[in-house]
């Protein structure tokens, strides 16, 4: 439900560490700048031996991911699949949406 998103958004940093599967990265590492809308948020998604999320954007991101906050919560919980992938998700650099969906498989 859309009204739950503002309450769930702060929990995504903790959940990403538990739900993220770094094996999907095949040894790659990256810092991804994540920005959300509805509500607005700015995070750093660190991909490496561990997956983590912290507040604020990285100084030198390897990629960017811009998406609605609802899509971010769906991504981290492994539920960003058709028909729930909204138009307008923007990625650059290492922030490949398909790779990120493998890092966050459904639990």
């Amino acid at each position: 439900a859309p009204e739950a998103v503002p309450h769930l958004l702060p929990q995504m940093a903790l959940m990403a560490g538990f739900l993220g599967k770094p094996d999907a990265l095949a040894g790659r590492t990256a810092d991804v700048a994540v920005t959300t809308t509805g509500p607005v948020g700015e995070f750093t998604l660190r991909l490496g031996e561990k997956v983590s999320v912290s507040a604020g954007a990285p100084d030198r991101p390897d990629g960017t991911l811009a998406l609605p906050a609802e899509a971010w919560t769906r991504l981290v919980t492994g539920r960003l699949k058709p028909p729930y992938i909204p138009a307008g998700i923007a990625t650059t650099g290492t922030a490949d949406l398909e790779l990120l969906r493998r890092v966050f498989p459904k639990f």
Side-chain angles (χ1 to χ4, degrees):
E3 59 273 5
V5 174
H7 303 287
L8 294 172
L9 192 60
Q11 305 306 316
M12 293 302 103
L14 178 63
M15 293 183 75
F18 289 114
L19 300 175
K21 305 298 183 207
D23 291 345
L25 298 167
R28 291 177 280 185
T29 63
D31 285 347
V32 177
V34 178
T35 57
T36 63
T37 58
V40 171
E42 188 174 75
F43 314 99
T44 296
L45 171 60
R46 288 195 170 80
L47 303 171
E49 288 183 24
K50 294 181 180 180
V51 175
S52 67
V53 173
S54 57
D59 291 332
R60 293 189 153 156
D62 300 301
T64 62
L65 173 63
L67 69 174
E70 179 184 358
W72 171 244
T73 62
R74 286 183 180 279
L75 175 66
V76 172
T77 59
R79 289 171 166 76
L80 187 60
K81 300 186 180 352
Y84 303 108
I85 300 174
I89 292 178
T91 63
T92 65
T94 59
D96 176 71
L97 189 57
E98 291 309 311
L99 172 63
L100 294 174
R101 288 178 57 206
R102 288 192 305 272
V103 170
F104 295 108
K106 190 172 183 177
F107 59 95

